[in-house]
Amino acid sequence: MSIQQHPTPEQARAALDAASSTRVHSDRDVRTLRTVLVGVGAAWALLLPLIKTAGAGVGLWVGMGVFFAVCGGLIYWQRRSVRSVPRGYGKWYTGGIAAASAAYAVGIAVVDTSTPWITVLLCTALVLLPTLFCASRIGARR
Amino acid sequence: MTRHARHRLDDVIHAPVRFSIVAALASVDTAEFAAVRDAVEISDSVLSKQATALEAAGYVKIKKGYVGKRPRTWLSLTQEGRAAFKSHLAALRAIAEGATL
């Protein structure tokens, strides 16, 4: 294809076809982004029942250690394996993480050992839902 | 007098390899150097040279970093680059339709 000077209509059409068929991202990239997002959300969410059952004791610190190991591992895996972020998906990914983090901050202000289980479960769902929603948007066909 | 659409083609983007690179980057927020190289089917050195030219034009952002101990380079289109590509495609469509704009 040569469009250096005066492209003919055929050359212009060929260039347009080439532009529309070029694809950098793979389905694997999309799957990895979704998995990491839901995984981090689940890790945040599971800390709330842990606070309810373990209080502020050793169990909580062990749980926090596991949480950071899981999140760190997921994010490292994502950075290693995702070769591209499809257009618009970065906002959903970051938004999901930010919303889950904000919901978790509310959750730890509400949940302690005396909090009723129904409240704990509601807070857990509130932390998990943003990541599930954002992951579904990442998976949506564009 | 109406100017022919070819006058609206972007001088930086219309080179075939750079056009392919920008087209590849238009579908992503960001992409790893190797992913773009494989998609466009060019060598590391060609991509490096053309990406640098696109960066100098303000169309591409090049970000270098590490994942563990491995160096990684990420490419993305700037807003200016997206606008230029959009305008370039519009000019190509006009030419393909045989119109003058």
Side-chain angles (χ1 to χ4, degrees):
Chain A
M1 178 183 72
S2 172
I3 56 170
Q4 287 291 339
Q5 290 302 322
H6 305 286
T8 63
E10 290 72 27
Q11 287 172 328
R13 272 192 289 275
L16 288 166
D17 288 346
S20 61
S21 64
T22 305
R23 189 172 185 244
V24 179
H25 66 273
S26 67
D27 292 339
R28 184 169 166 268
D29 291 337
V30 174
R31 276 199 305 275
T32 305
L33 286 171
R34 294 177 71 184
T35 303
V36 171
L37 184 54
V38 173
V40 170
W44 276 124
L46 289 174
L47 272 181
L48 294 176
L50 187 71
I51 292 170
K52 161 75 177 168
T53 53
V58 175
L60 179 63
W61 290 108
V62 171
M64 291 290 278
V66 172
F67 164 76
F68 282 114
V70 168
C71 284
L74 281 169
I75 289 167
Y76 181 73
W77 174 56
Q78 179 238 308
R79 281 172 56 83
R80 271 195 66 155
S81 58
V82 172
R83 300 178 81 202
S84 67
V85 179
R87 180 104 175 106
Y89 288 179
K91 283 181 186 169
W92 284 111
Y93 180 83
T94 308
I97 297 284
S101 304
Y104 176 74
V106 173
I108 55 170
V110 171
V111 174
D112 59 28
T113 50
S114 62
T115 308
W117 269 108
I118 184 70
T119 308
V120 175
L121 291 176
L122 274 173
C123 289
T124 301
L126 273 178
V127 173
L128 191 54
L129 279 175
T131 56
L132 290 175
F133 175 73
C134 292
S136 74
R137 298 306 305 159
I138 286 175
R141 291 279 173 208
R142 294 168 63 84
Chain B
M1 183 180 157
T2 311
R3 297 187 80 201
H4 191 277
R6 70 174 179 275
H7 296 295
R8 293 194 297 125
L9 290 173
D10 189 291
D11 286 341
V12 177
I13 294 176
H14 79 187
V17 172
R18 287 200 289 268
F19 178 80
S20 298
I21 294 168
V22 173
L25 291 176
S27 67
V28 295
D29 282 344
T30 183
E32 199 182 302
F33 184 93
V36 179
R37 177 200 62 203
D38 295 345
V40 179
E41 298 174 354
I42 51 177
S43 65
D44 284 352
S45 60
V46 170
L47 176 55
S48 180
K49 185 181 172 187
Q50 300 302 338
T52 302
L54 289 164
E55 185 186 36
Y59 290 174
V60 165
K61 183 179 171 189
I62 301 175
K63 187 179 165 191
K64 292 177 185 289
Y66 284 85
V67 177
K69 289 183 179 176
R70 295 181 181 179
R72 290 280 170 93
T73 301
W74 293 83
L75 307 176
S76 59
L77 277 188
T78 61
Q79 281 192 342
E80 191 184 350
R82 282 193 190 281
F85 184 59
K86 196 175 166 185
S87 170
H88 188 81
L89 288 183
L92 283 175
R93 277 190 207 99
I95 293 168
E97 291 161 7
T100 54
L101 296 178

PDB file of all heavy atoms in Angstrom, chain B residues 61-88:
ATOM      1  N   LYS B  61       2.549   8.309  23.339  1.00  0.00           N
ATOM      2  CA  LYS B  61       3.257   8.422  24.612  1.00  0.00           C
ATOM      3  C   LYS B  61       3.995   7.108  24.844  1.00  0.00           C
ATOM      4  O   LYS B  61       3.396   6.030  24.722  1.00  0.00           O
ATOM      5  CB  LYS B  61       2.246   8.679  25.734  1.00  0.00           C
ATOM      6  CG  LYS B  61       2.852   8.894  27.083  1.00  0.00           C
ATOM      7  CD  LYS B  61       1.762   9.156  28.099  1.00  0.00           C
ATOM      8  CE  LYS B  61       2.321   9.157  29.511  1.00  0.00           C
ATOM      9  NZ  LYS B  61       1.242   9.204  30.513  1.00  0.00           N
ATOM     10  N   ILE B  62       5.270   7.203  25.154  1.00  0.00           N
ATOM     11  CA  ILE B  62       6.072   6.003  25.422  1.00  0.00           C
ATOM     12  C   ILE B  62       6.423   5.983  26.902  1.00  0.00           C
ATOM     13  O   ILE B  62       6.970   6.944  27.431  1.00  0.00           O
ATOM     14  CB  ILE B  62       7.367   5.992  24.574  1.00  0.00           C
ATOM     15  CG1 ILE B  62       7.019   6.040  23.081  1.00  0.00           C
ATOM     16  CG2 ILE B  62       8.207   4.761  24.881  1.00  0.00           C
ATOM     17  CD1 ILE B  62       8.226   6.160  22.161  1.00  0.00           C
ATOM     18  N   LYS B  63       6.045   4.880  27.542  1.00  0.00           N
ATOM     19  CA  LYS B  63       6.315   4.772  28.979  1.00  0.00           C
ATOM     20  C   LYS B  63       7.172   3.541  29.225  1.00  0.00           C
ATOM     21  O   LYS B  63       6.826   2.440  28.788  1.00  0.00           O
ATOM     22  CB  LYS B  63       4.979   4.649  29.723  1.00  0.00           C
ATOM     23  CG  LYS B  63       5.065   4.686  31.213  1.00  0.00           C
ATOM     24  CD  LYS B  63       3.681   4.576  31.815  1.00  0.00           C
ATOM     25  CE  LYS B  63       3.755   4.236  33.289  1.00  0.00           C
ATOM     26  NZ  LYS B  63       2.439   3.861  33.827  1.00  0.00           N
ATOM     27  N   LYS B  64       8.272   3.736  29.903  1.00  0.00           N
ATOM     28  CA  LYS B  64       9.163   2.607  30.202  1.00  0.00           C
ATOM     29  C   LYS B  64       9.069   2.256  31.675  1.00  0.00           C
ATOM     30  O   LYS B  64       8.894   3.130  32.514  1.00  0.00           O
ATOM     31  CB  LYS B  64      10.602   2.963  29.839  1.00  0.00           C
ATOM     32  CG  LYS B  64      10.825   3.109  28.334  1.00  0.00           C
ATOM     33  CD  LYS B  64      12.252   3.525  28.029  1.00  0.00           C
ATOM     34  CE  LYS B  64      12.452   3.792  26.549  1.00  0.00           C
ATOM     35  NZ  LYS B  64      12.419   2.603  25.721  1.00  0.00           N
ATOM     36  N   GLY B  65       9.175   0.968  31.969  1.00  0.00           N
ATOM     37  CA  GLY B  65       9.111   0.535  33.354  1.00  0.00           C
ATOM     38  C   GLY B  65       9.619  -0.881  33.496  1.00  0.00           C
ATOM     39  O   GLY B  65      10.202  -1.442  32.556  1.00  0.00           O
ATOM     40  N   TYR B  66       9.397  -1.433  34.655  1.00  0.00           N
ATOM     41  CA  TYR B  66       9.832  -2.798  34.928  1.00  0.00           C
ATOM     42  C   TYR B  66       8.673  -3.605  35.481  1.00  0.00           C
ATOM     43  O   TYR B  66       7.845  -3.089  36.216  1.00  0.00           O
ATOM     44  CB  TYR B  66      10.962  -2.810  35.961  1.00  0.00           C
ATOM     45  CG  TYR B  66      12.303  -2.393  35.392  1.00  0.00           C
ATOM     46  CD1 TYR B  66      12.651  -1.054  35.312  1.00  0.00           C
ATOM     47  CD2 TYR B  66      13.195  -3.343  34.920  1.00  0.00           C
ATOM     48  CE1 TYR B  66      13.874  -0.659  34.785  1.00  0.00           C
ATOM     49  CE2 TYR B  66      14.418  -2.970  34.389  1.00  0.00           C
ATOM     50  CZ  TYR B  66      14.761  -1.635  34.327  1.00  0.00           C
ATOM     51  OH  TYR B  66      15.960  -1.264  33.799  1.00  0.00           O
ATOM     52  N   VAL B  67       8.636  -4.888  35.120  1.00  0.00           N
ATOM     53  CA  VAL B  67       7.753  -5.840  35.788  1.00  0.00           C
ATOM     54  C   VAL B  67       8.696  -6.871  36.376  1.00  0.00           C
ATOM     55  O   VAL B  67       9.287  -7.660  35.646  1.00  0.00           O
ATOM     56  CB  VAL B  67       6.757  -6.485  34.806  1.00  0.00           C
ATOM     57  CG1 VAL B  67       5.913  -7.525  35.528  1.00  0.00           C
ATOM     58  CG2 VAL B  67       5.866  -5.423  34.181  1.00  0.00           C
ATOM     59  N   GLY B  68       8.861  -6.818  37.705  1.00  0.00           N
ATOM     60  CA  GLY B  68       9.930  -7.593  38.313  1.00  0.00           C
ATOM     61  C   GLY B  68      11.251  -7.003  37.838  1.00  0.00           C
ATOM     62  O   GLY B  68      11.470  -5.803  37.938  1.00  0.00           O
ATOM     63  N   LYS B  69      12.096  -7.862  37.267  1.00  0.00           N
ATOM     64  CA  LYS B  69      13.381  -7.356  36.763  1.00  0.00           C
ATOM     65  C   LYS B  69      13.353  -7.129  35.258  1.00  0.00           C
ATOM     66  O   LYS B  69      14.341  -6.726  34.658  1.00  0.00           O
ATOM     67  CB  LYS B  69      14.491  -8.353  37.114  1.00  0.00           C
ATOM     68  CG  LYS B  69      14.817  -8.378  38.604  1.00  0.00           C
ATOM     69  CD  LYS B  69      15.956  -9.326  38.896  1.00  0.00           C
ATOM     70  CE  LYS B  69      16.282  -9.303  40.378  1.00  0.00           C
ATOM     71  NZ  LYS B  69      17.319 -10.278  40.724  1.00  0.00           N
ATOM     72  N   ARG B  70      12.196  -7.437  34.648  1.00  0.00           N
ATOM     73  CA  ARG B  70      12.111  -7.335  33.186  1.00  0.00           C
ATOM     74  C   ARG B  70      11.711  -5.924  32.754  1.00  0.00           C
ATOM     75  O   ARG B  70      10.689  -5.414  33.202  1.00  0.00           O
ATOM     76  CB  ARG B  70      11.074  -8.309  32.649  1.00  0.00           C
ATOM     77  CG  ARG B  70      11.435  -9.758  32.856  1.00  0.00           C
ATOM     78  CD  ARG B  70      10.354 -10.623  32.268  1.00  0.00           C
ATOM     79  NE  ARG B  70      10.646 -12.043  32.464  1.00  0.00           N
ATOM     80  CZ  ARG B  70       9.851 -13.015  32.067  1.00  0.00           C
ATOM     81  NH1 ARG B  70       8.714 -12.738  31.466  1.00  0.00           N
ATOM     82  NH2 ARG B  70      10.171 -14.266  32.278  1.00  0.00           N
ATOM     83  N   PRO B  71      12.495  -5.324  31.882  1.00  0.00           N
ATOM     84  CA  PRO B  71      12.095  -4.001  31.372  1.00  0.00           C
ATOM     85  C   PRO B  71      10.908  -4.123  30.422  1.00  0.00           C
ATOM     86  O   PRO B  71      10.830  -5.083  29.655  1.00  0.00           O
ATOM     87  CB  PRO B  71      13.342  -3.506  30.635  1.00  0.00           C
ATOM     88  CG  PRO B  71      14.089  -4.736  30.280  1.00  0.00           C
ATOM     89  CD  PRO B  71      13.762  -5.779  31.313  1.00  0.00           C
ATOM     90  N   ARG B  72       9.979  -3.196  30.522  1.00  0.00           N
ATOM     91  CA  ARG B  72       8.808  -3.191  29.634  1.00  0.00           C
ATOM     92  C   ARG B  72       8.604  -1.786  29.098  1.00  0.00           C
ATOM     93  O   ARG B  72       8.858  -0.801  29.804  1.00  0.00           O
ATOM     94  CB  ARG B  72       7.541  -3.595  30.397  1.00  0.00           C
ATOM     95  CG  ARG B  72       7.491  -5.050  30.820  1.00  0.00           C
ATOM     96  CD  ARG B  72       7.068  -5.946  29.662  1.00  0.00           C
ATOM     97  NE  ARG B  72       7.242  -7.350  29.989  1.00  0.00           N
ATOM     98  CZ  ARG B  72       6.287  -8.115  30.495  1.00  0.00           C
ATOM     99  NH1 ARG B  72       5.096  -7.622  30.721  1.00  0.00           N
ATOM    100  NH2 ARG B  72       6.523  -9.384  30.752  1.00  0.00           N
ATOM    101  N   THR B  73       8.141  -1.720  27.859  1.00  0.00           N
ATOM    102  CA  THR B  73       7.801  -0.428  27.267  1.00  0.00           C
ATOM    103  C   THR B  73       6.337  -0.466  26.854  1.00  0.00           C
ATOM    104  O   THR B  73       5.887  -1.433  26.226  1.00  0.00           O
ATOM    105  CB  THR B  73       8.680  -0.156  26.027  1.00  0.00           C
ATOM    106  OG1 THR B  73      10.053  -0.175  26.432  1.00  0.00           O
ATOM    107  CG2 THR B  73       8.362   1.195  25.413  1.00  0.00           C
ATOM    108  N   TRP B  74       5.619   0.575  27.241  1.00  0.00           N
ATOM    109  CA  TRP B  74       4.190   0.654  26.925  1.00  0.00           C
ATOM    110  C   TRP B  74       3.957   1.841  25.999  1.00  0.00           C
ATOM    111  O   TRP B  74       4.536   2.915  26.188  1.00  0.00           O
ATOM    112  CB  TRP B  74       3.367   0.825  28.201  1.00  0.00           C
ATOM    113  CG  TRP B  74       3.423  -0.378  29.076  1.00  0.00           C
ATOM    114  CD1 TRP B  74       4.400  -0.709  29.976  1.00  0.00           C
ATOM    115  CD2 TRP B  74       2.479  -1.445  29.130  1.00  0.00           C
ATOM    116  NE1 TRP B  74       4.115  -1.912  30.567  1.00  0.00           N
ATOM    117  CE2 TRP B  74       2.944  -2.387  30.072  1.00  0.00           C
ATOM    118  CE3 TRP B  74       1.281  -1.702  28.459  1.00  0.00           C
ATOM    119  CZ2 TRP B  74       2.249  -3.553  30.370  1.00  0.00           C
ATOM    120  CZ3 TRP B  74       0.585  -2.859  28.757  1.00  0.00           C
ATOM    121  CH2 TRP B  74       1.071  -3.778  29.704  1.00  0.00           C
ATOM    122  N   LEU B  75       3.093   1.627  25.019  1.00  0.00           N
ATOM    123  CA  LEU B  75       2.766   2.685  24.061  1.00  0.00           C
ATOM    124  C   LEU B  75       1.283   3.029  24.176  1.00  0.00           C
ATOM    125  O   LEU B  75       0.455   2.141  24.381  1.00  0.00           O
ATOM    126  CB  LEU B  75       3.058   2.226  22.627  1.00  0.00           C
ATOM    127  CG  LEU B  75       4.455   1.683  22.325  1.00  0.00           C
ATOM    128  CD1 LEU B  75       4.522   1.185  20.890  1.00  0.00           C
ATOM    129  CD2 LEU B  75       5.510   2.742  22.554  1.00  0.00           C
ATOM    130  N   SER B  76       0.975   4.294  24.016  1.00  0.00           N
ATOM    131  CA  SER B  76      -0.437   4.705  23.964  1.00  0.00           C
ATOM    132  C   SER B  76      -0.555   5.947  23.093  1.00  0.00           C
ATOM    133  O   SER B  76       0.399   6.714  22.943  1.00  0.00           O
ATOM    134  CB  SER B  76      -0.968   4.975  25.374  1.00  0.00           C
ATOM    135  OG  SER B  76      -0.213   5.985  26.000  1.00  0.00           O
ATOM    136  N   LEU B  77      -1.736   6.133  22.530  1.00  0.00           N
ATOM    137  CA  LEU B  77      -1.984   7.334  21.731  1.00  0.00           C
ATOM    138  C   LEU B  77      -2.312   8.491  22.658  1.00  0.00           C
ATOM    139  O   LEU B  77      -3.031   8.314  23.640  1.00  0.00           O
ATOM    140  CB  LEU B  77      -3.180   7.123  20.789  1.00  0.00           C
ATOM    141  CG  LEU B  77      -2.971   6.416  19.461  1.00  0.00           C
ATOM    142  CD1 LEU B  77      -4.240   6.499  18.624  1.00  0.00           C
ATOM    143  CD2 LEU B  77      -1.813   7.021  18.692  1.00  0.00           C
ATOM    144  N   THR B  78      -1.805   9.658  22.338  1.00  0.00           N
ATOM    145  CA  THR B  78      -2.202  10.855  23.088  1.00  0.00           C
ATOM    146  C   THR B  78      -3.551  11.328  22.525  1.00  0.00           C
ATOM    147  O   THR B  78      -4.004  10.844  21.484  1.00  0.00           O
ATOM    148  CB  THR B  78      -1.167  11.974  22.901  1.00  0.00           C
ATOM    149  OG1 THR B  78      -1.112  12.291  21.505  1.00  0.00           O
ATOM    150  CG2 THR B  78       0.219  11.543  23.377  1.00  0.00           C
ATOM    151  N   GLN B  79      -4.162  12.281  23.201  1.00  0.00           N
ATOM    152  CA  GLN B  79      -5.429  12.839  22.688  1.00  0.00           C
ATOM    153  C   GLN B  79      -5.216  13.463  21.315  1.00  0.00           C
ATOM    154  O   GLN B  79      -6.049  13.340  20.413  1.00  0.00           O
ATOM    155  CB  GLN B  79      -5.957  13.892  23.661  1.00  0.00           C
ATOM    156  CG  GLN B  79      -6.652  13.283  24.876  1.00  0.00           C
ATOM    157  CD  GLN B  79      -7.415  14.316  25.662  1.00  0.00           C
ATOM    158  OE1 GLN B  79      -7.181  15.515  25.531  1.00  0.00           O
ATOM    159  NE2 GLN B  79      -8.326  13.855  26.499  1.00  0.00           N
ATOM    160  N   GLU B  80      -4.079  14.131  21.181  1.00  0.00           N
ATOM    161  CA  GLU B  80      -3.733  14.754  19.895  1.00  0.00           C
ATOM    162  C   GLU B  80      -3.585  13.688  18.807  1.00  0.00           C
ATOM    163  O   GLU B  80      -4.035  13.874  17.674  1.00  0.00           O
ATOM    164  CB  GLU B  80      -2.423  15.531  20.070  1.00  0.00           C
ATOM    165  CG  GLU B  80      -2.078  16.428  18.910  1.00  0.00           C
ATOM    166  CD  GLU B  80      -0.714  17.106  19.101  1.00  0.00           C
ATOM    167  OE1 GLU B  80      -0.140  17.017  20.211  1.00  0.00           O
ATOM    168  OE2 GLU B  80      -0.240  17.711  18.140  1.00  0.00           O
ATOM    169  N   GLY B  81      -2.969  12.570  19.179  1.00  0.00           N
ATOM    170  CA  GLY B  81      -2.797  11.470  18.235  1.00  0.00           C
ATOM    171  C   GLY B  81      -4.123  10.871  17.811  1.00  0.00           C
ATOM    172  O   GLY B  81      -4.326  10.557  16.627  1.00  0.00           O
ATOM    173  N   ARG B  82      -5.036  10.714  18.761  1.00  0.00           N
ATOM    174  CA  ARG B  82      -6.368  10.176  18.429  1.00  0.00           C
ATOM    175  C   ARG B  82      -7.116  11.119  17.491  1.00  0.00           C
ATOM    176  O   ARG B  82      -7.766  10.682  16.532  1.00  0.00           O
ATOM    177  CB  ARG B  82      -7.203   9.960  19.695  1.00  0.00           C
ATOM    178  CG  ARG B  82      -6.835   8.726  20.429  1.00  0.00           C
ATOM    179  CD  ARG B  82      -7.822   8.312  21.488  1.00  0.00           C
ATOM    180  NE  ARG B  82      -7.208   7.254  22.269  1.00  0.00           N
ATOM    181  CZ  ARG B  82      -7.135   5.985  21.887  1.00  0.00           C
ATOM    182  NH1 ARG B  82      -7.668   5.607  20.749  1.00  0.00           N
ATOM    183  NH2 ARG B  82      -6.526   5.088  22.635  1.00  0.00           N
ATOM    184  N   ALA B  83      -7.022  12.413  17.795  1.00  0.00           N
ATOM    185  CA  ALA B  83      -7.719  13.403  16.960  1.00  0.00           C
ATOM    186  C   ALA B  83      -7.137  13.401  15.541  1.00  0.00           C
ATOM    187  O   ALA B  83      -7.882  13.444  14.550  1.00  0.00           O
ATOM    188  CB  ALA B  83      -7.602  14.782  17.591  1.00  0.00           C
ATOM    189  N   ALA B  84      -5.817  13.313  15.449  1.00  0.00           N
ATOM    190  CA  ALA B  84      -5.160  13.314  14.143  1.00  0.00           C
ATOM    191  C   ALA B  84      -5.541  12.063  13.353  1.00  0.00           C
ATOM    192  O   ALA B  84      -5.788  12.128  12.143  1.00  0.00           O
ATOM    193  CB  ALA B  84      -3.647  13.391  14.320  1.00  0.00           C
ATOM    194  N   PHE B  85      -5.600  10.927  14.037  1.00  0.00           N
ATOM    195  CA  PHE B  85      -5.955   9.671  13.361  1.00  0.00           C
ATOM    196  C   PHE B  85      -7.403   9.717  12.869  1.00  0.00           C
ATOM    197  O   PHE B  85      -7.712   9.290  11.758  1.00  0.00           O
ATOM    198  CB  PHE B  85      -5.748   8.492  14.321  1.00  0.00           C
ATOM    199  CG  PHE B  85      -6.002   7.150  13.697  1.00  0.00           C
ATOM    200  CD1 PHE B  85      -5.280   6.736  12.581  1.00  0.00           C
ATOM    201  CD2 PHE B  85      -6.955   6.291  14.213  1.00  0.00           C
ATOM    202  CE1 PHE B  85      -5.512   5.496  11.994  1.00  0.00           C
ATOM    203  CE2 PHE B  85      -7.187   5.042  13.637  1.00  0.00           C
ATOM    204  CZ  PHE B  85      -6.469   4.648  12.531  1.00  0.00           C
ATOM    205  N   LYS B  86      -8.283  10.267  13.719  1.00  0.00           N
ATOM    206  CA  LYS B  86      -9.689  10.382  13.350  1.00  0.00           C
ATOM    207  C   LYS B  86      -9.836  11.251  12.096  1.00  0.00           C
ATOM    208  O   LYS B  86     -10.573  10.907  11.162  1.00  0.00           O
ATOM    209  CB  LYS B  86     -10.459  11.007  14.527  1.00  0.00           C
ATOM    210  CG  LYS B  86     -11.946  10.848  14.464  1.00  0.00           C
ATOM    211  CD  LYS B  86     -12.565  11.406  15.746  1.00  0.00           C
ATOM    212  CE  LYS B  86     -14.070  11.569  15.577  1.00  0.00           C
ATOM    213  NZ  LYS B  86     -14.678  12.214  16.742  1.00  0.00           N
ATOM    214  N   SER B  87      -9.128  12.353  12.087  1.00  0.00           N
ATOM    215  CA  SER B  87      -9.184  13.273  10.956  1.00  0.00           C
ATOM    216  C   SER B  87      -8.603  12.615   9.694  1.00  0.00           C
ATOM    217  O   SER B  87      -9.136  12.765   8.590  1.00  0.00           O
ATOM    218  CB  SER B  87      -8.405  14.542  11.316  1.00  0.00           C
ATOM    219  OG  SER B  87      -8.242  15.337  10.199  1.00  0.00           O
ATOM    220  N   HIS B  88      -7.511  11.859   9.890  1.00  0.00           N
ATOM    221  CA  HIS B  88      -6.870  11.155   8.777  1.00  0.00           C
ATOM    222  C   HIS B  88      -7.828  10.118   8.173  1.00  0.00           C
ATOM    223  O   HIS B  88      -7.950  10.014   6.946  1.00  0.00           O
ATOM    224  CB  HIS B  88      -5.593  10.486   9.281  1.00  0.00           C
ATOM    225  CG  HIS B  88      -4.740   9.892   8.206  1.00  0.00           C
ATOM    226  ND1 HIS B  88      -3.872  10.633   7.444  1.00  0.00           N
ATOM    227  CD2 HIS B  88      -4.624   8.611   7.757  1.00  0.00           C
ATOM    228  CE1 HIS B  88      -3.258   9.851   6.577  1.00  0.00           C
ATOM    229  NE2 HIS B  88      -3.698   8.624   6.751  1.00  0.00           N
TER     230      HIS B  88
END
